Structures are given as C-alpha cells and as structure tokens.
Amino acid sequence: MDVCPQIKQCASIALGRLVHNDPAIAEELLDVGILSILLHNAGTGNKYQKTAVLFVLRSICKHNEKTAQSVVKNGGLQTLVYCLEDFEPAVKESAAWGIGYIARHSQKLAQECVNAGVLPLLMLTLQEPELSLKQIATSAVTDIAKHCEDLAVCVVDAGIVPYLAKNLQNSDEKLKRQCLAALSAIAKHSPELAEVVVEAEIFPSVSQHLSHACPAIRRNAACLIRDIAKQSLELTQFVANTGGIGSLLEVLFQYPVKQPDPVNDARIPCVSALGFIAGQSAQLAMTVLGCRTIQVLAVMLNDSTDENLLTVTAWTIGQIGRHSPEHSAAVASANIFPRLVQIFQNPESSLDLKTKCHGALKLCLQNCLLVSALEPLLSLAPPDILKYVLGQYSKVLPNDPKARRLFVTSGGLKKVQMLNAKPGTTLMEYITVINSCFPEEIVRFYSPGYPDSLLDKVEQYAPQLMTVLRETEQTNEEIQTEIVNAVAKDELSSDSDSAHAVAGADRSSH
C-alpha cells in the first residue's frame, strides 16, 4: 500500500514468488485479505505494477481448484479480462497466463472464463506479433477446450481455429507444440469438431511434424492425428490418404535407435492412432499390415517394459486382427499370441493391461483358423482364453482330416481330455464338439486313466487254454511198442506201393 510505485511492484513480485512455490502461503494470502489490495493495484498502476500483480494472481490460481475459485469469487477473473484488453503485450501475456491457470482446473471454472468473454480477446492476442503472447494465449485456449464438447464449440465459434492452423507454420518450436495441443483438444470431442480442424487445412503439415526434431512436437502431432482418426471412417480415410500411416510408422521405426523421452514419448499416441485407423475397416487394417506394422508391434511387445506402451500395443493388435482370418493370420505369424498370454498371466501386470491383452486375444482368436498358431495355446492359455482356442478348433476339425490327424499326433486331443470343464459351460460345449470329430475308441484311449484301466483288465483276465496233448495212462514200454509197429506198417505200405509201380511200368513197356 506504499505510495511509491516501485515499492508496490517489488512487494508484489516478492509475494508472487512466495506464493508460486507454496500452496499453503497462497491460502494464507487469501485468508489475510491481501487479494483485494492487489486487485486495486492492478487496475490503477502502471504496466510494471500490473504485471507484478498478475504474477501474484496466476501464482495463486496455479495450485488447485480451491485457490482458483477464491480468486474468481473475489473479482480476480474480471481483473484478468480487463488486463487482457491492455495495450502492453507483457500485461496481456500475464493476464492470458492467469486465465489459463484458472481454466485448466475444471469444466466449471473454464465455463466461467468463457462467460466472462475471454475467447474473443484470446483470438485477438493470437494475431499479435509477439511470440510469447501467442504461446501463452494458445495454451489458455487448450486449457479451455480440453474439458468438454460445449467449450470446444465455443472456441470454434470464436473463430480461433484458423489462427491456430496459421500459427502452426511458425518456426518456433514452443508455439508449434502449443498449437498442436490446442487443435487436438478441440478435435477429440466429436466428428463435427474434428472436421472443422481438418477443414483448416492442417494436412499434410501435421504428418510432416511427426518427423520434427523436437520430441514434444512429434508427440503432440501424433495425438492430433489420433484424435482425428478415431472420429469417423471418412476422417480416418483422409488421414491415410495424406500419408498419415507412413508418417506414424516412421516414428516407430526410429526406436530403439533413438532412446525415448519418458515425458514426450511419441510411440504411445502413434500406436494408438494406428489402432484407431485399423479398427475403422478391414481395408484400412490391411493397409496398416502392409507397412510391416505388426512386426514393429511384436518387437515392442517383447522388448518394452513400459506398461502404458504394452497396454496400447495390445489394444492395437486386437484392432488389427479383429476383421477376418487373413488379418488374424498376419498377427499369428508374428508369434504374438504366446506373448499376450504371458503378459495376461503375469501377476505384476495391471488390471488395464490384462484387460487389453484378453480383449486382443479374444478378437484375434475368434477369427484365427491357423492350427499351428492355436496349438501352443492349448498348454499355455488359461481357461478364459482357452475357450476361444477350442472354439476355433471346433470350426476347423470337422472339415479338415489332416488337421484332425495333426491334432491327435501333436497331443492336442490328449490335452483336451485332461481339461476339467464344468457341464453346461461354453468350454464343455467346445470339448464335446471336438470329441465328436474322432472315433469313440480314440477319445477313450486318450482319456485320463485309460492306461490304468487297461492294466486292471490284464490283471483280472482269466486265460482259457486249449488242450494240445492227449492225456493217457500208458506206460513208456507200451508207447514205444506202438511207435515201432506204426513205423513198420508205414515201411510195408511203402514197399507195396513201389512194387505196384514197377509192374505197371513193365506192362507199359510191353
């Protein structure tokens, strides 16, 4: 409250720095009633004093919704709007910064900012030549539009989108990053808003930004493409026609050559965008497959330890393989199913990751007719996954004799007989269909306990022997006499036969 403007300015700066670093001091400032004095100085002081007071206001608003709401209730929002109309760029910049801090906390506070008339003023600041002012104003637009569709519509109605698209051509990296984030915050809510963003002629510039040197720009560009591609088939087709798929894959091909920035890792939105593109239609999914996407996803699934990346990768794989047996066979050829099962059974995996792995396996297996890909899952998959595997076997085995033979020789039929399925369940129905594809004795042979039952039958069998030798009570001498007589009789008969033969020969010679 000093009469000297410089002392007022320095006191405000000191207070702002205290508040900026500690939310407890911000709440204490609100309790002692200094806010009303600050707001009075903002309306009557010079540009330096206004900037210092606005620094205190935004430092109070940045911490949480409670402190921001207190500033709004005490008339701080009106002061920010008033300063946003100031002639000095530094004052407008500080005011836009404070509005962004208020709007980011909740939809209610963002709506109050819109009701106070900040959007037309922000649109004007986007046309200013000062680079920092454009950056802060773009960030404030993002904080307003991100909450809901109604607020995004208000941003569109204020005519801000064309200026965001124009500023996208600026060479400044921070401004590019903020513009991409603002356009993404608008496009993500509905197909109509996404069409407005696309009509601002942001393509193919956005796809080109995927190869930018700045990681944050690459990530925000991928997020924008993702938020547009997920809205409708027409928009997805437009993204594909402008080279979006190839640009997204170029980002993925750079790893692990380039180590990812944990904060600005562009792989997650890129993989998610590919999933949305592939999920729209079978033709787009085949286009994604034709770019060696599944090989890249398989490498990520095997090598990555980032749970968020694993989750979105599993979801994208499900979107690719869901359409037809050809799509599922392409996924199976990369040997992805066992890895998904492994992640699903890992006790350290989160519930979201397990859900995505289960969904991907379900979508792909329900279309998979490749027996070689199904076979390893018979011993690896838990019952939740195994029912989809057996469901596919129940479709293949009735019409494929070679598959039936392979199913028996590889031990698949034996594994099926060892399953403990409850009667009336889907799993039991599939087992019944599979058993009906084989002769009853084959099924019985591979049933558990069948070898033991065979051994029991061996032990219980009573042999029925035939009598080979004649029982007799003759002595050895009598037996020998009979043998001599039989031999002599045979010799006499042979002599008589030879005499008759000689006589017949003589008669024939005469």
Side-chain angles (χ1 to χ4, degrees):
M1 298 176 67
D2 199 278
V3 295
C4 178
Q6 292 181 344
I7 294 178
K8 289 183 180 182
Q9 177 191 348
C10 292
S12 299
I13 293 174
L15 191 60
R17 289 174 178 171
L18 287 170
V19 172
H20 186 78
N21 294 292
D22 194 342
I25 297 179
E27 294 180 0
E28 184 179 353
L29 182 147
L30 294 171
D31 293 338
V32 298
I34 301 181
L35 186 60
S36 59
I37 301 174
L38 290 169
L39 296 177
H40 175 74
N41 290 339
T44 58
N46 56 31
K47 64 177 182 179
Y48 302 107
Q49 190 172 342
K50 287 181 181 179
T51 304
V53 171
L54 293 175
F55 172 56
V56 181
L57 291 179
R58 78 166 188 261
S59 298
I60 298 173
C61 295
K62 72 169 254 186
H63 292 295
N64 52 59
E65 184 179 358
K66 179 182 176 182
T67 55
Q69 186 66 49
S70 298
V71 171
V72 173
K73 284 184 179 180
N74 286 278
L77 181 59
Q78 285 75 17
T79 301
L80 292 170
V81 174
Y82 169 75
C83 292
L84 197 59
E85 300 179 36
D86 199 272
F87 179 75
E88 292 294 334
V91 176
K92 289 192 282 190
E93 179 183 331
S94 297
W97 211 334
I99 290 170
Y101 276 139
I102 292 175
R104 71 172 51 178
H105 290 298
S106 69
Q107 178 182 341
K108 180 181 177 182
L109 288 174
Q111 187 64 56
E112 291 194 23
C113 291
V114 172
N115 295 340
V118 300
L119 289 178
L121 299 175
L122 289 175
M123 188 263 292
L124 293 175
T125 57
L126 290 175
Q127 305 174 54
E128 296 287 341
E130 287 78 16
L131 190 60
S132 60
L133 180 56
K134 290 181 178 181
Q135 294 169 352
I136 301 304
T138 305
S139 178
V141 171
T142 305
D143 291 329
I144 293 173
K146 69 179 182 180
H147 292 288
C148 66
E149 183 179 354
D150 292 339
L151 290 171
V153 169
C154 292
V155 172
V156 170
D157 292 342
I160 292 177
V161 172
Y163 297 102
L164 294 175
K166 180 180 179 181
N167 288 335
L168 198 59
Q169 308 302 324
N170 196 291
S171 60
D172 182 69
E173 291 184 356
K174 187 174 181 180
L175 182 57
K176 284 179 181 289
R177 185 173 74 243
Q178 297 290 358
C179 288
L180 289 168
L183 292 170
S184 179
I186 296 170
K188 70 178 183 179
H189 294 292
S190 68
E192 292 76 17
L193 290 172
E195 289 176 3
V196 172
V197 172
V198 170
E199 288 171 357
E201 298 181 356
I202 61 171
F203 285 95
S205 175
V206 174
S207 300
Q208 295 170 357
H209 280 85
L210 286 170
S211 59
H212 199 277
C214 177
I217 291 178
R218 292 199 301 269
R219 185 183 187 280
N220 287 359
C223 290
L224 177 55
I225 293 177
R226 175 200 64 193
D227 292 332
I228 292 174
K230 72 179 182 180
Q231 297 296 345
S232 66
L233 177 60
E234 292 76 13
L235 290 171
T236 306
Q237 190 68 57
F238 180 80
V239 171
N241 293 340
T242 53
I245 297 176
S247 301
L248 292 169
L249 286 171
E250 283 297 325
V251 177
L252 301 181
F253 288 147
Q254 293 175 1
Y255 299 94
V257 177
K258 291 185 177 180
Q259 293 299 323
D261 182 359
V263 179
N264 296 309
D265 189 358
R267 291 180 297 173
I268 294 178
C270 282
V271 174
S272 180
L274 290 172
F276 282 117
I277 293 172
Q280 290 287 357
S281 70
Q283 181 181 1
L284 287 171
M286 196 58 73
T287 304
V288 171
L289 282 174
C291 300
R292 296 190 298 119
T293 306
I294 203 66
Q295 288 80 4
V296 178
L297 297 179
V299 171
M300 288 184 180
L301 208 62
N302 291 322
D303 298 343
S304 178
T305 57
D306 185 355
E307 192 160 278
N308 293 325
L309 181 59
L310 291 175
T311 301
V312 72
T313 302
W315 176 80
T316 300
I317 290 171
Q319 297 302 306
I320 294 174
R322 64 184 294 182
H323 296 285
S324 70
E326 290 76 14
H327 296 83
S328 183
V331 174
S333 63
N335 198 29
I336 287 178
F337 293 158
R339 176 58 178 162
L340 289 174
V341 172
Q342 181 184 1
I343 297 174
F344 178 75
Q345 292 182 304
N346 189 353
E348 297 181 359
S349 299
S350 65
L351 179 61
D352 188 29
L353 178 55
K354 290 184 177 181
T355 302
K356 294 297 188 296
C357 289
H358 181 276
L361 286 167
K362 177 182 177 181
L363 292 172
C364 293
L365 289 175
Q366 285 180 339
N367 285 312
C368 184
L369 300 178
L370 200 62
V371 176
S372 59
L374 297 173
E375 182 183 343
L377 301 182
L378 288 174
S379 56
L380 296 175
D384 290 345
I385 307 299
L386 192 58
K387 62 182 180 180
Y388 303 117
V389 178
L390 296 183
Q392 294 307 109
Y393 269 116
S394 67
K395 298 176 184 177
V396 175
L397 295 178
N399 304 313
D400 193 341
K402 292 183 179 180
R404 290 198 295 268
R405 183 183 182 90
L406 180 62
F407 190 68
V408 174
T409 56
S410 63
L413 184 61
K414 183 178 180 180
K415 294 174 184 176
V416 169
Q417 305 311 314
M418 297 174 65
L419 297 176
N420 186 16
K422 296 181 180 179
T425 59
T426 306
L427 186 61
M428 189 64 194
E429 292 178 4
Y430 290 146
I431 293 175
T432 304
V433 173
I434 292 173
N435 288 341
S436 65
C437 298
F438 299 93
E440 184 178 352
E441 59 269 19
I442 295 294
V443 176
R444 197 164 57 244
F445 178 78
Y446 287 105
S447 298
Y450 184 71
D452 296 333
S453 64
L454 284 180
L455 292 176
D456 292 340
K457 289 183 179 181
V458 170
E459 293 178 357
Q460 298 170 4
Y461 185 70
Q464 302 293 329
L465 296 178
M466 296 178 61
T467 301
V468 177
L469 299 177
R470 177 173 54 84
E471 295 182 1
T472 178
E473 296 179 357
Q474 292 177 322
T475 63
N476 289 336
E477 294 178 356
E478 293 174 346
I479 293 173
Q480 291 178 359
T481 303
E482 288 184 358
I483 292 174
V484 171
N485 294 335
V487 171
K489 186 177 179 180
D490 290 339
E491 290 177 353
L492 289 173
S493 62
S494 62
D495 292 340
S496 62
D497 290 339
S498 59
H500 287 303
V502 171
D506 293 338
R507 285 194 299 269
S508 61
S509 64
H510 288 299

